[in-house]
């Protein structure tokens, strides 16, 4: 049963536009993540938050900015999208402050940049 | 830096047989956690099984089990009595235990096709 909810599930936009993805988890977890999955299925971590605090910030273009209002929510904004941003963006959460790293994923948000 | 490598791109098996998927990892840490995840055709990614580095016993959950060979930095996934619905992409992943970096690194995935 899904407990990590992402919106929207699909988004098509043009180069230069801004897009936002929202994520909410109802598992009571304290750690949330954004991963990017490209067309070759490669999964790469982008950001990780512990209870609203940014913990992991991989080498990601500055046009990407995460935002967390509380430990149950983590959003991702892309300021001016580029063609290479076309991918599936996956939100995940984990309990115990991410100590073990066992992740629970949302269904993903597929971004297509024309 | 931690690294996870899955060399098998794709595997096909006949249902009800056993399949093993390989994974090797690199880490400088003495404490770490290893995982296998499954991504179905719909895109959903689900956690399957976990091995803690300090545990000598191989983890088992249902018809999934692990072959943990610490000296070889290897964590193979074994699926017994495969079913058609096991067809999916399987990812190996690792989280180093040190610090609070909360960074989980994934392999490139192995696509499993279970044939009738």
């Amino acid at each position: 049963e899904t407990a990590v909810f992402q919106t929207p599930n699909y988004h098509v936009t043009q180069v230069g536009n801004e897009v936002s993805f929202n994520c909410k988890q109802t598992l009571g977890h304290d750690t949330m993540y954004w991963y990017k999955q490209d067309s070759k299925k490669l999964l790469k971590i982008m950001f990780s938050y512990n209870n609203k605090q940014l913990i992991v910030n991989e080498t990601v273009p500055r046009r990407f900015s995460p935002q967390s209002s509380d430990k149950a929510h983590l959003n991702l904004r892309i300021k001016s999208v580029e063609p290479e941003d076309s991918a599936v963006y996956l939100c995940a959460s984990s309990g115990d402050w991410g100590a073990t790293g066992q992740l629970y994923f949302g269904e993903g948000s597929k971004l297509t940049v024309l | 830096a931690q690294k996870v490598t899955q060399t098998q791109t794709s595997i096909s098996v006949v249902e009800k047989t056993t399949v093993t998927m390989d994974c090797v990892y690199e880490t400088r840490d003495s404490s770490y956690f290893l995982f296998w995840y499954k991504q179905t055709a719909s895109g959903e990614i689900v956690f399957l099984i976990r091995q803690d580095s300090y545990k000598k016993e191989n983890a088992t959950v249902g018809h999934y089990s692990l072959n943990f060979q610490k000296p070889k930095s290897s964590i193979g996934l074994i699926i017994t009595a495969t079913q058609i619905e096991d067809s999916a992409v399987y990812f190996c992943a690792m989280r180093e235990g040190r610090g609070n970096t909360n960074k989980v690194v994934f392999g490139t995935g192995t696509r499993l096709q279970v044939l009738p």
Side-chain angles (χ1 to χ4, degrees):
Chain A
E1 187 176 341
T2 304
V4 180
F5 303 95
Q6 292 185 234
T7 57
N9 291 124
Y10 301 92
H11 189 80
V12 181
T13 190
Q14 294 186 327
V15 171
N17 286 349
E18 178 175 315
V19 64
S20 288
F21 298 119
N22 302 311
C23 181
K24 171 187 175 181
Q25 54 94 2
T26 58
L27 295 164
H29 288 168
D30 38 55
T31 306
M32 296 185 71
Y33 312 76
W34 278 110
Y35 278 83
K36 179 181 179 181
Q37 186 172 42
D38 63 21
S39 58
K40 295 182 180 178
K41 294 286 190 181
L42 293 175
L43 270 164
K44 290 189 177 179
I45 189 168
M46 300 175 71
F47 303 102
S48 157
Y49 270 75
N50 259 1
N51 198 17
K52 301 192 297 178
Q53 287 202 327
L54 181 64
I55 300 296
V56 172
N57 184 350
E58 288 296 285
T59 306
V60 174
R62 294 180 65 180
R63 60 181 180 276
F64 289 86
S65 60
Q67 289 177 314
S68 180
S69 57
D70 56 56
K71 68 177 187 178
H73 295 83
L74 181 62
N75 300 330
L76 180 67
R77 186 180 75 156
I78 312 173
K79 215 172 185 178
S80 177
V81 296
E82 299 285 340
E84 60 265 30
D85 298 337
S86 293
V88 176
Y89 293 88
L90 289 149
C91 178
S93 71
S94 64
D96 61 34
W97 292 86
T100 61
Q102 185 169 319
L103 303 177
Y104 296 81
F105 283 90
E107 295 177 328
S109 296
K110 184 174 182 178
L111 174 65
T112 302
V113 181
L114 301 175
Chain B
Q2 58 192 71
K3 186 179 178 182
V4 176
T5 302
Q6 295 177 253
T7 56
Q8 300 158 305
T9 305
S10 181
I11 302 175
S12 290
V13 299
V14 176
E15 67 174 334
K16 299 180 185 176
T17 60
T18 295
V19 64
T20 298
M21 282 176 263
D22 302 328
C23 175
V24 293
Y25 56 91
E26 295 176 25
T27 180
R28 297 179 183 177
D29 206 349
S30 58
S31 173
Y32 47 90
F33 303 91
L34 300 161
F35 308 87
W36 280 90
Y37 289 84
K38 171 185 178 181
Q39 186 169 35
T40 62
S42 68
E44 182 186 18
I45 300 177
V46 294
F47 162 77
L48 293 178
I49 192 168
R50 167 181 132 196
Q51 180 78 40
D52 300 349
S53 64
Y54 59 88
K55 292 186 177 178
K56 294 184 178 179
E57 304 79 21
N58 289 321
T60 299
V61 176
H63 75 145
Y64 303 108
S65 61
L66 297 177
N67 180 15
F68 181 40
Q69 299 184 56
K70 197 169 182 178
K72 295 184 179 180
S73 295
S74 170
I75 184 74
L77 174 68
I78 303 167
I79 307 177
T80 56
T82 51
Q83 302 162 17
I84 301 295
E85 51 266 35
D86 290 326
S87 296
V89 178
Y90 290 81
F91 291 97
C92 179
M94 177 175 67
R95 193 256 195 247
E96 287 182 333
R98 174 174 56 183
N100 67 342
T101 59
N102 296 324
K103 186 174 174 181
V104 179
V105 175
F106 284 78
T108 51
T110 297
R111 184 175 297 276
L112 173 66
Q113 186 178 26
V114 181
L115 303 169

